């Protein structure tokens, strides 16, 4: 028999390697994790390998042009060349210096970390990924090391011995990669004895990299749209109104009559602002229907605005200036319409901006307006906590109504639900909104179960998709980050049969259904005011047979209307 | 002594070493945390590994009920399927058990003459690996499904509003045999 020609012996492609099982477990590629955690400085080695599923797409140039941000161009994260300006290093160092001078907290956070490690294992991304660079202290160290090199004497002189490192392109890429693996949720800061807030370091880091045009599209697009039409989706006023009309149709089939809210009405007492996610994305839409039904039941003198048609503010994830600009429309619209105060819907980061920054940032916009300390027209309660911002959270408003017995409720309509509550990071940690949502839920649902204490309230776990990371392309990252939350939900599902996860954040409502589907598919996600509206008895309504989602109410399964 | 008794006798070191195999697939700097933090909510990945591996080992020794094993495996694999692993790395830890058993029971296996039994037990481990592979693939498939669904829910309301979403009329009769849709299949939205 003829010999098999040599050329037949094709070598397997390089990427394929036959491995023994022992090698399989030993050979896991840990190249990315070469950190010297031994003693002394935490040494970071820039050897980042950017992986698909773990990052968001680069921003389209048009988005940056729309808001006048630097270096608009087409680029791709996976490309070697990020098309940076030639003097990128100067730009970063200049920007770094400028921010150290302008933001005292940033300077402080660069200096005072004692590397005690209390924050190290508190980040949901670290817990879900076991990637050491997701330890908050190391995430910050990526920046501190550069800070030491260029802005401290010890670092300048001693270099690596003082934990300092040069800024180069690999360091920059590593910064960027890990800046977008932080949801700015601030869980780590709860555990830091010095109150160091790694979220603020991430905020500054993103500002800095944005100076080079390293924005992601999932943030830059909503910013550009919001800048133009007032909301993240770029929806124009008539379409916004159409969408709400659509809800009114659905509500009519449920309660038997049509309700008629107003839009852009001058002279209304209250302006209502909610994230556009409530208006355009399920299951937030049911929460929006909930607001409409609640206000109808109260006969509230309020108006929607098709201009201030977005509560969310992706400027928070972009830069201080953009955040301020996008936020300004709230007061501008309140002034234009002549309202007394603003009622805000269920949103997460919107409340961080409103509660922590809006008053000092934009209150001058309200000068000469009719705005005053908010008072509930139904109960007379003064919302002293909102005296400076003039804006009240809807669960504060509703909790007050319930406390004063102003709502007719039939919680048994929610009897098919076993509910738990996910504290959304920003309302919980940035405004201390812990009791009101729980009070409301317990009054509209008969079955409520808390998740374990170290996963709720101030210690709540992020959904894994906040701060503009709820894109589709970074699904692996989201799942890693959402895992600690899902794990706690799974626990109450198995222990008590929980089947509903309530929250007060539009991003949660977009992100958590998918996290649940992956980890605990038996649990569904809802906004709090969807639950409220299901239990709410409106004057003159027909006998309800279905809930807001068109599903039969308990005991109504055989009803003809269903 | 039969193999089962030997394995039961050495259960604790075997389970410990097998857990080490799984832990060794994680970055060194994180292993201490995964090992030490005992709170299941503060350290879900670590606790799932420890509890899962022990339960799987028990089940392998006794009934080897695939449904039960699949549950424990699922808990471990579901996270690994989205972590920093290639497919083979995500499921490869299963084979570590073979090595661990040989290390722990090297002399006893020869002395008690249970090599044949060991062969049979090895096949159980192989079957376990195949099960792992199925679970891993399902997890990855789920991720893709979720991505597609997410795009759909995000735009559904807008499409409806723009009159672009196509819904079948309520009285629509699904095509019978030979049609595109089978009994119980609905395709009322596109
Ligand atoms: S702010 Fe949240 S996401 Fe960022 S490092 Fe801290 S815990 Fe992690
Ligand atoms: S807890 Fe605070 S001081 Fe301790 S390592 Fe973390 S950031 Fe530094």
């Amino acid at each position: 028999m003829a010999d098999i020609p040599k050329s037949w012996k094709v070598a397997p492609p390089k990427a394929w390697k036959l491995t023994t099982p022992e090698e399989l477990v030993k050979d896991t590629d840990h190249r990315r994790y070469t950190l010297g955690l031994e003693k002394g400085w935490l040494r970071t080695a820039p050897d980042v390998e950017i992986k698909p599923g773990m990052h968001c797409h680069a921003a389209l140039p048009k988005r940056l042009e729309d808001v006048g941000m630097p270096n608009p161009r087409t680029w791709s994260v996976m490309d070697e060349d990020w098309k940076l300006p030639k003097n990128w290093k100067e730009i970063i160092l200049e920007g770094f210096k400028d921010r150290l001078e302008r933001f005292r907290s940033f300077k402080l956070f660069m200096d005072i970390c004692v590397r005690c490690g209390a924050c190290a294992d508190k980040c949901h991304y670290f817990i879900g990924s076991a990637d050491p660079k997701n330890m908050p202290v190391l995430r910050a160290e990526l920046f501190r090391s550069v800070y030491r090199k260029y802005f401290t004497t010890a670092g300048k002189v001693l270099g690596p011995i003082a934990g300092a490192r040069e800024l180069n392109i690999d360091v920059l890429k590593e910064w960027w990669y890990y800046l977008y693996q932080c949801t700015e949720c601030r869980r780590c800061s709860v555990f830091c004895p010095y109150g160091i807030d790694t979220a603020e370091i991430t905020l500054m880091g993103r500002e800095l990299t944005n100076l080079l045009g390293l924005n992601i599209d999932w943030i830059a697009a909503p910013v550009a749209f919001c800048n133009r039409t007032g909301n993240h989706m770029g929806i124009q006023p008539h379409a916004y109104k159409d969408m709400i009309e659509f809800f009114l149709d659905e509500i009519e089939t449920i309660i038997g009559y049509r309700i008629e809210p107003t839009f852009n009405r001058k002279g209304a007492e209250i302006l209502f602002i909610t994230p556009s996610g409530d208006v355009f994305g399920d299951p937030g839409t049911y929460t929006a229907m909930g607001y409409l039904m609640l206000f109808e039941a109260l006969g509230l003198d309020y108006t929607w605005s098709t201009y201030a048609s977005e509560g969310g503010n992706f400027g928070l994830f972009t830069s201080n200036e953009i955040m301020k600009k996008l936020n300004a429309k709230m007061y501008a619209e309140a002034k234009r319409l002549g309202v007394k105060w603003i009622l805000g819907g269920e949103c997460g980061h919107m409340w961080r901006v409103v509660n922590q920054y809006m008053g000092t940032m934009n209150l001058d916009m309200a000068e000469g307006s009719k705005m005053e300390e908010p008072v509930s027209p139904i109960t007379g309660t003064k919302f002293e906590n909102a005296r400076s911002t003039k804006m009240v959270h809807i669960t504060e408003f509703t909790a007050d109504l319930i406390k004063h017995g102003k709502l007719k409720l039939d919680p048994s309509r929610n009897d098919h639900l076993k509910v738990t509550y996910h504290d959304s990071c920003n309302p919980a940690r940035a405004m201390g909104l812990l009791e009101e949502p729980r009070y409301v839920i317990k009054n509209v649902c008969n079955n409520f179960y808390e998740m374990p204490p170290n996963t709720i309230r101030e210690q709540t776990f992020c959904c894994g998709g906040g701060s503009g990371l709820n894109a589709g392309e970074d699904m692996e990252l989201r799942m890693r980050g959402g895992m600690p939350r899902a794990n706690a939900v799974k626990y109450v599902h198995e222990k008590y049969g929980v089947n509903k996860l309530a929250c007060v954040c539009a991003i949660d409502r977009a992100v958590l259904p998918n996290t649940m589907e992956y980890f605990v598919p038996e649990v569904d996600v809802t906004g709090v005011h969807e639950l409220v509206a299901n239990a709410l008895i409106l004057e003159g309504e027909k006998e309800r047979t279905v809930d807001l989602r068109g599903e039969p109410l308990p005991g109504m399964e055989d009803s003809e209307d269903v | 002594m039969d193999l089962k008794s030997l394995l039961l006798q050495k259960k604790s070191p075997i389970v410990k070493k097998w857990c080490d195999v799984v832990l060794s697939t994680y970055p060194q700097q994180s292993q201490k945390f995964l090992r030490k933090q005992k709170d299941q909510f503060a350290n879900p990945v670590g606790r799932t590994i420890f509890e899962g591996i022990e339960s799987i080992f028990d089940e392998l020794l006794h009934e080897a009920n695939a449904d039960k094993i699949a549950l424990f495996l699922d808990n471990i694999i579901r996270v690994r399927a989205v972590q920093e692993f290639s497919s083979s790395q995500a499921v490869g830890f299963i084979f570590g058990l073979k090595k661990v058993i040989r290390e722990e029971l090297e002399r006893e296996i020869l002395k008690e003459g249970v090599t044949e039994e060991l062969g049979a037990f090895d096949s159980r481990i192989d079957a376990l690996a195949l099960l792992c592979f199925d679970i891993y693939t399902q997890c990855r498939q789920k991720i893709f499904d979720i991505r597609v669904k997410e795009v759909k829910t995000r735009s559904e309301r807008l499409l409806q509003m723009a009159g672009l979403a196509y819904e079948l009329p309520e009285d629509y009769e699904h095509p019978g045999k030979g049609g595109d849709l089978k009994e119980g299949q609905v395709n009322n939205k596109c």
Side-chain angles (χ1 to χ4, degrees):
Chain A
M1 204 164 43
D3 276 353
I4 297 172
K6 278 217 167 64
S7 59
W8 278 37
K9 289 185 183 167
V10 181
K14 260 204 180 138
W16 295 97
K17 193 175 92 183
L18 289 176
T19 348
T20 64
E22 290 79 40
E23 280 172 338
L24 251 183
V25 289
K26 269 198 199 134
D27 254 15
T28 312
D29 180 9
H30 289 160
R31 202 171 50 79
R32 296 204 308 108
Y33 304 109
T34 43
L35 292 166
L37 267 177
E38 314 71 51
K39 273 190 198 101
W41 299 110
L42 307 169
R43 273 179 216 104
T44 52
D47 48 4
V48 62
E49 187 190 336
I50 293 178
K51 295 211 167 157
M54 287 295 291
H55 65 83
C56 298
H57 294 325
L60 299 176
K62 191 172 168 345
R63 320 276 195 224
L64 306 190
E65 282 156 10
D66 279 358
V67 287
M69 294 201 72
N71 201 18
R73 77 230 176 270
T74 306
W75 68 290
S76 162
V77 179
M78 294 307 277
D79 284 351
E80 183 72 31
D81 178 8
W82 281 8
K83 300 186 189 164
L84 301 174
K86 276 211 175 63
N87 60 338
W88 69 265
K89 200 166 150 180
E90 279 105 80
I91 296 176
I92 289 279
L93 292 176
E94 203 36 57
F96 212 129
K97 181 164 171 282
D98 171 50
R99 278 159 187 78
L100 286 168
E101 286 162 9
R102 273 198 292 145
F103 302 105
R104 213 150 36 111
S105 55
F106 185 42
K107 171 90 170 74
L108 208 62
F109 295 163
M110 285 292 107
D111 281 328
I112 61 171
C113 171
V114 295
R115 298 177 299 286
C116 70
C119 63
D121 56 0
K122 303 304 187 297
C123 174
H124 51 286
Y125 284 122
F126 172 70
I127 295 171
S129 71
D131 176 348
K133 283 185 195 170
N134 275 323
M135 294 177 182
V137 56
L138 281 192
R139 196 189 307 286
E141 193 65 18
L142 301 177
F143 288 85
R144 284 201 188 96
S145 52
V146 171
Y147 164 74
R148 288 189 201 104
K149 173 77 198 166
Y150 297 94
F151 303 102
T152 69
T153 317
K156 279 179 198 163
V157 179
L158 298 171
I161 303 167
R165 64 174 180 168
E166 292 271 353
L167 177 61
N168 59 35
I169 187 72
D170 292 331
V171 170
L172 181 75
K173 287 193 173 182
E174 185 185 46
W175 273 12
W176 186 87
Y177 196 44
Y178 285 96
L179 281 172
Y180 291 95
Q181 292 186 39
C182 167
T183 41
E184 304 177 357
C185 76
R186 305 170 81 228
R187 186 172 196 264
C188 50
S189 75
V190 173
F191 298 88
C192 175
Y194 295 88
I196 293 177
D197 186 353
T198 304
E200 292 223 7
I201 298 175
T202 300
L203 285 171
M204 288 297 122
R206 290 192 187 180
E207 271 203 41
L208 285 176
T209 48
N210 285 347
L211 294 175
L212 306 177
L214 294 176
N215 312 54
I216 61 169
D217 208 57
W218 198 259
I219 295 176
V223 163
F225 284 138
C226 211
N227 184 55
R228 192 171 176 82
T229 59
N231 60 63
H232 289 167
M233 323 275 291
I235 304 294
Q236 296 180 16
H238 60 282
Y240 190 85
K241 184 163 175 275
D242 280 356
M243 197 64 220
I244 291 179
E245 297 281 347
F246 185 82
F247 298 153
L248 302 179
D249 296 343
E250 299 205 354
I251 293 172
E252 190 172 352
T253 62
I254 297 167
I255 62 169
Y257 68 94
R258 191 167 188 86
I259 61 180
E260 277 164 12
T262 59
F263 297 88
N264 307 323
R265 178 166 58 90
K266 288 192 177 170
E269 181 175 358
I270 298 165
L271 166 63
F272 180 64
I273 301 181
T274 200
S276 64
D278 284 353
V279 182
F280 293 100
D282 291 341
T285 46
Y286 306 110
T287 305
M289 286 162 62
Y291 306 142
L292 285 159
M293 290 163 72
L294 172 70
F295 302 153
E296 169 69 15
L298 299 171
L300 198 68
D301 178 11
Y302 85 108
T303 185
W304 293 75
S305 164
T306 56
Y307 302 103
S309 51
E310 177 63 73
N313 186 336
F314 274 32
L316 171 66
F317 317 132
T318 307
S319 77
N320 203 44
E321 291 69 28
I322 301 265
M323 166 172 67
K324 182 175 162 145
K325 185 177 184 205
L326 298 184
N327 172 261
K329 67 170 179 273
M330 291 199 179
Y331 284 145
E333 185 66 343
K335 185 175 172 181
R336 185 181 76 92
L337 298 176
V339 301
K340 288 190 186 156
W341 53 279
I342 308 173
L343 181 60
E346 297 182 13
C347 184
H349 71 278
M350 150 180 168
W351 284 101
R352 170 117 149 248
V353 175
V354 167
N355 192 56
Q356 296 196 326
Y357 309 115
M358 182 163 84
T360 44
M361 200 163 59
N362 277 327
L363 203 55
D364 52 340
M365 300 284 305
E367 260 170 43
S369 74
K370 298 211 172 94
M371 300 248 281
E372 55 188 43
E373 181 184 50
V375 177
S376 168
I378 315 294
T379 65
T381 300
K382 277 189 185 174
F383 293 100
E384 289 168 10
N385 57 322
R387 185 184 296 150
S388 73
T389 62
K390 322 274 187 275
M391 186 152 174
V392 176
H393 192 287
I394 187 142
T395 57
E396 291 176 321
F397 180 71
T398 306
D400 174 63
L401 293 168
I402 295 174
K403 185 99 188 160
H404 286 87
K406 299 291 182 191
L407 298 181
K408 265 207 244 166
L409 298 166
D410 176 6
S412 74
R413 287 187 190 154
N414 284 321
D415 271 357
H416 55 313
L417 306 179
K418 293 192 172 172
V419 184
T420 192
Y421 177 67
H422 159 72
D423 289 89
S424 309
C425 305
N426 284 304
R429 279 191 282 265
M431 68 181 298
L433 189 85
L434 306 170
E435 299 306 333
E436 290 84 345
R438 290 181 164 79
Y439 181 77
V440 173
I441 295 172
K442 285 184 201 161
N443 276 282
V444 300
C445 299
N446 287 322
N447 311 310
F448 177 73
Y449 303 91
E450 288 278 16
M451 284 182 272
N454 55 346
T455 71
I456 54 169
R457 296 178 179 261
E458 288 92 343
Q459 297 190 38
T460 187
F461 278 120
C462 177
C463 63
S467 83
L469 302 188
N470 56 324
E473 61 266 19
D474 62 340
M475 196 58 82
E476 272 83 353
L477 175 71
R478 281 169 50 182
M479 290 301 165
R480 291 181 196 186
M483 193 264 177
R485 168 43 77 226
N487 178 58
V489 176
K490 190 167 181 209
Y491 175 78
V492 284
H493 166 69
E494 283 167 0
K495 190 156 181 198
Y496 308 111
V498 161
N499 55 12
K500 266 290 182 207
L501 176 61
C503 60
V504 287
C505 167
I507 291 185
D508 283 339
R509 284 191 286 274
V511 170
L512 287 173
N514 295 326
T515 322
M516 289 304 117
E517 188 170 345
Y518 188 66
F519 288 108
V520 208
E522 302 83 357
V523 178
D524 199 6
V525 178
T526 180
V528 170
H529 278 76
E530 179 184 340
L531 299 172
V532 170
N534 274 331
L536 187 67
I537 301 170
L538 284 110
E539 194 118 343
E541 70 179 15
K542 68 172 189 185
E543 191 190 17
R544 289 216 213 160
T545 53
V546 291
D547 66 11
L548 265 55
R549 300 190 186 198
E551 307 283 336
L553 288 171
M556 291 292 177
E557 291 80 0
D558 300 323
S559 164
E560 280 192 358
D561 261 14
V562 172
Chain B
M1 211 187 263
D2 62 359
L3 179 68
K4 187 171 167 183
S5 317
L6 288 173
L7 289 171
L8 273 174
Q9 228 175 37
K10 290 271 186 160
K11 179 185 154 180
S12 156
I14 291 176
V15 166
K16 191 186 161 296
K17 277 197 175 178
W18 195 19
C19 285
D20 286 346
V21 169
V22 188
L23 286 181
S24 72
T25 61
Y26 288 95
Q28 214 176 359
Q29 292 87 344
S30 310
Q31 288 178 21
K32 190 168 149 218
F33 163 74
L34 292 172
R35 203 184 299 274
K36 292 272 160 68
Q37 174 55 269
K38 297 282 192 276
D39 184 304
Q40 72 181 102
F41 304 106
N43 177 17
V45 174
R47 292 327 299 164
T48 305
I49 293 171
F50 283 108
E51 279 155 29
I53 289 289
E54 177 162 6
S55 309
I56 293 168
F57 185 73
D58 281 342
E59 200 53 43
L60 272 184
L61 281 190
H62 299 104
E63 310 296 313
N65 178 323
D67 289 340
K68 278 195 199 158
I69 292 183
L71 272 183
F72 298 120
L73 273 183
D74 188 289
N75 288 341
I76 300 177
I77 300 291
R78 196 156 289 273
V79 192
R80 293 177 74 83
V82 292
Q83 284 175 331
E84 201 78 22
F85 299 113
S86 67
S87 325
S88 55
Q89 287 163 348
V91 299
F93 66 90
I94 293 296
F95 298 110
L97 179 58
K98 289 189 182 177
K99 188 160 172 264
V100 169
I101 290 176
R102 280 162 178 77
E103 274 171 16
E104 278 301 311
L105 292 171
E106 200 181 1
R107 254 183 303 140
E108 288 86 339
I109 288 170
L110 291 177
K111 206 172 112 208
E112 305 288 338
V114 289
T115 37
E116 231 172 86
E117 270 185 86
L118 184 64
F121 194 74
D122 276 350
S123 326
R124 280 197 173 185
I125 299 177
D126 293 338
L128 196 64
L130 292 175
L131 192 57
C132 252
F133 179 64
D134 281 345
I135 295 172
Y136 178 84
T137 324
Q138 280 166 15
C139 288
R140 294 305 308 172
Q141 185 59 43
K142 189 87 201 161
I143 292 287
F144 300 132
D145 291 348
I146 288 174
R147 282 195 63 174
V148 173
K149 204 183 104 198
E150 187 172 81
V151 173
K152 218 181 124 188
T153 24
R154 265 181 192 151
S155 49
E156 201 161 31
R157 291 277 178 183
L158 292 174
L159 291 176
Q160 276 174 11
M161 211 173 67
L164 293 173
Y166 169 64
E167 286 205 42
L168 292 178
E170 265 172 25
D171 55 356
Y172 178 78
E173 278 183 30
H174 290 302
K177 267 187 192 154
D180 289 333
L181 291 172
K182 295 196 189 76
E183 177 99 33
Q185 257 186 331
V186 221
N187 181 19
N188 61 348
K189 285 193 185 122
C190 62

